[in-house]
Amino acid sequence: MLKINREDALAYHEQSPQGKIEVVPTKPVSTQLDLALAYSPGVAEPCKEIAKNPDDVYKYTAKGNLVAVISNGTAVLGLGNIGPAASKPVMEGKGVLFKKFAGIDCFDIEIDATDPDEFIRIVKALEPTFGGINLEDIKAPECFRIETELRDLMNIPLMHDDQHGTAIITSAALLNALEIVGKKIGDIQLVVSGAGAAAVSCLRLYLALGVRKENVVVFDKDGIINPSRTDLADMQRQFATERPITTLAEAMVGADVFLGLSAANVLPAELLLHMAANPIVFALANPEPEISYELATSTRPDLIMATGRSDHPNQVNNVLGFPYIFRGALDVRATEINEAMKLAAVHALAELSKEPVPDIVNNAYGDNTLAFGRTYLIPKPLDPRLITSLSPAVARAAMESGVARRPIADWAAYEDELRARLGLDQKLMNRITSAARQSPRRVVFAEADNYKILKAAQLVRDEGIAFPILLGPPAKIQAIAQANNLDLEGCEVIDILQDEAKRNEYAELLYQKRQRRGITRYEGRRLLRERNYYAAMMVETGAADACITGLTKDYGKSLIPSLQVIGPAEGVRRVASMYIIQTKKGPYFFADTTVNIDPTAEEMVEIIGLTARAVRFFDAEPRVAVISYSNFGSNSGPLPEKTRRATELAKQRYPDLLIDGEMQANVALNLQLLQENYGFSPLADKGANTLIFPNVESGNIAYKVMQELGGAEVIGPVLMGMRKPVHILQLGASVRDIVNMTAIAVVDAQRDGKAL
């Protein structure tokens, strides 16, 4: 867990602008017309429409994406009743989490009211403003009544996250832990330390999942919850036990699960010894749990444990739930967040934990061993898949339970919308990946003695994208897999140095191909000891359908073997490469970025043709701009003249292609600039989506600047013009890059001899 310095925390909140949130206009307000539309007199028109049809408030205002985080400060984190003003930094922080993880806008509202009736009246009066209400840090037992009555009174989704957030996350963890140890939820003996809002909500959800009430024993600071107690709220009394138990030590004998939502160090280590085999301990008191992780796991090595801390496995963090639950509820305009929606979130969270962990999560946590098991029961908070797993599940449950007012019809489009909210627009790669899964192909990975390649191989196998063939020493591959908890079952592993007969066969084929290009039989046998040559020959002979290489070597050195063994497609004199730049405005295509150092005008025409064909391969219509530092003759020099000549020749060779140049990059990409100054251009209607650079320097620099400063996701390089599918990775590509390129290679191979 990070050690937070008091001064650092204060400075973080104090630096200008103070606090953590601000309001940003979503429409232009730079001209007098803009202001007149935004306010008087233009604002009157949507007001009149809403007066006629109240539901139009969702059409003309931000209500549908606006949640209130509301507290009276009576139970703030571990700070207790510190009052509404002191709770404001926490509520602002909750708003930040809503925005970061689900794209939901928030206003934090701190109410100076401890009387439940007054608090309920104030919150109910806010309903016209908000699409949803997140209640926060309200003490028990008042919080139970407040939430129950507000749910009955209001017709927008409302949830007290302190109750239900922890319940949902721990429920998912409990289901997975029980699956791992082979126990049925209806059979477990459960001991609970704590009887506050979170504990009671956990128990209610556990009962809905199948826990039997007679198997539950609950303690609070005053002892066991039993019928003789006169100090209990109704919500607590329902979990009173009739069993003849008086102490925690007695309750822990034979217990399968301990749930702690109470205070630090209330669970003595020796009590763990009396629990059943493979005990499950959720010690969730913060910042110090009911028993330390180190002590618990050393006392019972067969124990599965979760805490609320980020420095131990299985962190129970409410951010895994509330942003995505509200996202799904808002998107179908649910009238409430009901039990069906909470249970849907539980099951979605549990199932997501069983899927392979993406590279972006491994990198964020510096852990390549994350995989479903005792130390990975629930996903990590920075997993970008949470929004596309939980929100659709919640939205679907709202529809099926009859509380949705705006049902979703196209679920694929909805997932695209969710990704776009967080800058995760993957429509292009979604299509490619879906196509790859329809008919996966054999892809040979030439550099399989590398963790990233092996992780990608596991992913493409598990996702049904490809059948991986791994070239490398089997012992080394196995060691890497074991060290990183990778499962490579079903992946073919080939040690090319141990298969002399096949190597000699390939060497002879290489000699026959290249004997008039300086390759002798001896040289062929030497070259076939290199995995890039062997992989290329596998593709050439049909032993594999596509090849992926280049992760650990220079691009040119990785490309040469494939050029010599496979070569360009018929009619192609020069191969080229293209990067796909994923932006919030959609995909853009940059070429040539890695292969042709300084092509002539005639060679640029070849590149233009290959790129246009590749763009169509990705289901986009190419709108091609030939890039220079000149706009239609505004500057002279060798570079503008070359690009001008290339444009003229390309128009002659590809008369149906939408292309223009020479032009500067900002003109090509800024539609308003293009229309105002160069309305004669055929690109002035929609602007360019495909940029052809005059040399590899400019193309390479452009895509790397976009990647690092522009916040764009870069896919590629896509090798164009080869006779059979070969794709060369960027040096040091991520696992996600490798998976993307593998999917592209598979779809490339599906084209039956019509490689990109």
Side-chain angles (χ1 to χ4, degrees), residues 446-465:
E447 303 158 299
D449 54 347
N450 180 284
Y451 160 72
K452 291 182 180 179
I453 293 291
L454 296 181
K455 177 69 173 180
Q458 175 187 308
L459 290 172
V460 298
R461 181 211 60 190
D462 290 347
E463 294 182 22
I465 292 171

Side-chain angles (χ1 to χ4, degrees), residues 2 39 84 101 125 140 142 183 186 190 248 434 448 464 495 538 597 752:
L2 292 174
Y39 197 56
F101 290 104
E142 290 91 334
K183 295 182 181 181
L190 171 64
L248 181 63
S434 297
D495 186 347
M538 288 185 72
I597 304 299
D752 296 325

